[in-house]
Amino acid sequence: MDAQRRKRLQLIAIMLVFLAPMVVAFGLRLSGWQPNRLRNNGTLVQPPQDISTDTPRAAVDAAFGWKDTQYRWTLVLLAGPGCAAACQRRLADAEKIWSLMTQKATRLRLAVVGVEATPELRQKFPRLEFVQSSAAPLLALTPAGADTVAAVVIDPAGLLMLRYEPGYDPAGVRQDLSRLIR
């Protein structure tokens, strides 16, 4: 093999080293693959629905609104009829999510729709706001099954962004919230 041919092969090999990752990335992009780290655990609401005009009635905080002036995200638990043991576990999971957010916890508030604010529940779950809301998007996502809970994430502007079906994974909700709240 002469020197000129060897140099051409080296040049082609160098080009392949740099072009191969781009070709692979382009092929993965065309196939629709995304790394798990970039996927939401919840379902993105398309288009985001504005519920800021709804005036929810909170059991304790009279100034509660979906649009938050302190720029806090809201995790809303939508309870089906009859909040029993499974429902209360989800309420406890929400408080655990809040505590696991550490420094970001001040930028997250928790609300529950569809559960009566009894003194026992308010004492048991002090971080939860028990709210009554007539917002159509929230009512549409409320589960029909007894003792079930769905969840939604509302941004500080009052837009419904993510939804989680009953039986969602609380760790996935925490992961999504930690990506959203910076």
Side-chain angles (χ1 to χ4, degrees):
M1 181 181 301
D2 63 342
Q4 186 178 6
R5 185 170 184 174
R6 194 180 52 170
K7 288 183 181 186
R8 281 186 190 151
L9 289 175
Q10 286 176 341
L11 180 63
I12 291 173
I14 290 172
M15 287 175 33
L16 286 177
V17 165
F18 287 102
L19 289 177
M22 290 191 296
V23 170
V24 169
F26 185 70
L28 289 173
R29 176 73 177 130
L30 286 179
S31 71
W33 180 84
Q34 279 189 341
N36 287 336
R37 201 176 94 231
L38 298 178
R39 288 193 188 136
N40 294 331
N41 294 295
T43 306
L44 195 62
V45 176
Q46 288 291 355
Q49 298 178 10
D50 186 11
I51 61 170
S52 63
T53 56
D54 177 50
T55 5
R57 291 175 307 283
V60 177
D61 186 7
F64 187 87
W66 298 124
K67 188 173 185 176
D68 189 42
T69 56
Q70 297 176 13
Y71 201 78
R72 292 178 294 180
W73 290 76
T74 308
L75 174 63
V76 183
L77 303 174
L78 305 169
C83 186
C87 174
Q88 289 192 20
R89 275 194 304 275
R90 287 298 182 185
L91 300 182
D93 287 343
E95 285 204 336
K96 188 185 292 184
I97 288 169
W98 187 89
S99 64
L100 289 173
M101 294 293 289
T102 60
Q103 296 105 339
K104 298 177 185 179
T106 58
R107 304 258 331 276
L108 175 66
R109 57 188 186 157
L110 305 173
V112 181
V113 175
V115 177
E116 185 180 342
T118 63
E120 298 85 33
L121 283 178
R122 287 199 344 233
Q123 183 179 5
K124 190 175 180 180
F125 305 111
R127 290 189 181 96
L128 296 177
E129 270 304 328
F130 292 88
V131 177
Q132 294 175 354
S133 176
S134 59
L138 292 180
L139 294 176
L141 295 174
T142 301
D147 200 26
T148 57
V149 176
V152 295
V153 174
I154 299 174
D155 79 346
L159 296 173
L160 182 64
M161 303 298 286
L162 285 170
R163 65 182 172 89
Y164 299 89
E165 298 296 328
Y168 63 87
D169 179 23
V173 175
R174 191 199 62 75
Q175 187 179 32
D176 285 349
L177 286 171
S178 66
R179 281 190 214 132
L180 289 171
I181 300 173
R182 299 277 176 191

